[in-house]
């Protein structure tokens, strides 16, 4: 079960695991706005899992020092193929090496972009110039990544729980 987190001003921050949400609750950092019907039971206690929580304090809404990962490349590129700018599902895209691996291109922030299957096939193991394709923007290592992108990532991949919809409003 996933939990929607809101800032102290009730703006969506992102999505976290319920275990993390429980630890934030016990630490007194958040309060619960709504719960799932399911209960979690342990020998000593049982409780309902929150579905939406809100922070009591002003939490920065960006993740510092973005780790290189398939998902974070997708997030950096706003989920768009960097050649045709088509929106690609985060479960259904490829990573393209701008400088192909056979030419010594490595798997790092500034050589890897989100790519749809069509463009990936067209480009093959050529450089963009050789393939006659235009890269939307040179890739770089982001300083930070917005939490909100987690949410967009989630929206594309899963049905949004009913209790989130009020808080997400126009973002859906
Ligand atoms: Zn494409």
């Amino acid at each position: 079960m996933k939990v929607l987190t809101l800032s102290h001003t009730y703006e969506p921050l992102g999505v976290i695991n319920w275990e993390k949400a429980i630890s934030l609750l016990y630490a007194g950092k958040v309060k619960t706005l709504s719960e799932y019907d399911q209960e979690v039971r342990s020998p000593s206690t049982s409780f309902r899992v929150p579905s939406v929580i809100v922070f009591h304090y002003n939490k920065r809404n960006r993740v510092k020092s973005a780790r290189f990962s398939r998902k974070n490349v997708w997030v950096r590129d706003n989920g768009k193929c960097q050649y045709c700018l088509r929106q690609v599902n985060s479960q259904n895209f490829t990573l393209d090496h701008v400088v192909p691996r056979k030419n010594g291109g490595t798997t790092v922030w500034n050589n890897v972009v989100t790519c749809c299957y069509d463009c990936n096939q067209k480009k093959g193991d050529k450089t963009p110039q050789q393939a006659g394709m235009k890269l939307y923007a040179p890739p770089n290592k982001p300083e930070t990544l917005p939490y909100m992108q987690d949410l967009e990532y989630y929206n594309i991949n899963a049905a949004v729980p009913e209790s989130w919809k009020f808080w997400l409003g126009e973002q859906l």
Side-chain angles (χ1 to χ4, degrees):
M1 281 178 282
K2 296 286 186 180
V3 182
L4 177 67
T5 62
L6 305 177
S7 72
H8 70 303
T9 54
Y10 294 86
E11 283 158 303
L13 287 175
V15 177
I16 60 176
N17 292 324
W18 70 267
E19 293 92 340
K20 173 77 180 159
I22 296 293
S23 73
L24 288 169
L25 271 173
Y26 276 112
K29 292 180 175 173
V30 296
K31 73 176 176 194
T32 301
L33 292 179
S34 64
E35 297 172 327
Y36 288 108
D37 290 334
Q38 293 94 327
E39 284 193 354
V40 172
R41 287 172 198 281
S42 74
S44 56
T45 183
S46 74
F47 54 86
R48 288 191 167 192
V49 173
S51 63
V52 183
I53 57 175
V54 57
F55 279 92
H56 290 307
Y57 57 95
N58 190 357
K59 181 168 167 55
R60 64 188 168 84
N61 66 354
R62 300 192 62 94
V63 185
K64 277 242 169 81
S65 72
R67 189 171 54 83
F68 180 86
S69 70
R70 181 179 162 82
K71 180 197 149 193
N72 281 344
V73 170
W74 185 93
V75 167
R76 179 199 63 189
D77 296 339
N78 292 315
K80 288 186 174 142
C81 170
Q82 294 299 288
Y83 294 101
C84 70
L85 294 184
R86 197 190 308 169
Q87 187 77 39
V88 290
N89 188 302
S90 56
Q91 309 268 288
N92 197 24
F93 73 100
T94 64
L95 291 178
D96 172 64
H97 288 75
V98 179
V99 176
R101 271 179 288 198
K102 69 159 193 178
N103 294 7
T106 51
T107 307
V108 291
W109 277 112
N110 59 13
N111 192 48
V112 171
V113 294
T114 303
C115 191
C116 73
Y117 287 112
D118 289 346
C119 289
N120 192 249
Q121 193 157 32
K122 193 171 154 199
K123 184 168 175 291
D125 57 2
K126 304 189 195 90
T127 65
Q129 292 89 332
Q130 288 166 346
M133 294 166 74
K134 193 172 153 24
L135 190 61
Y136 172 65
N140 54 30
K141 179 182 190 313
E143 287 300 311
T144 61
L145 287 174
Y147 278 121
M148 263 311 294
Q149 301 290 351
D150 275 342
L151 200 55
E152 287 165 25
Y153 182 83
Y154 188 81
N155 287 345
I156 288 169
N157 288 302
V160 171
E162 202 58 36
S163 60
W164 294 12
K165 289 184 178 171
F166 175 78
W167 301 104
L168 294 176
E170 290 170 11
Q171 268 136 22
L172 284 181

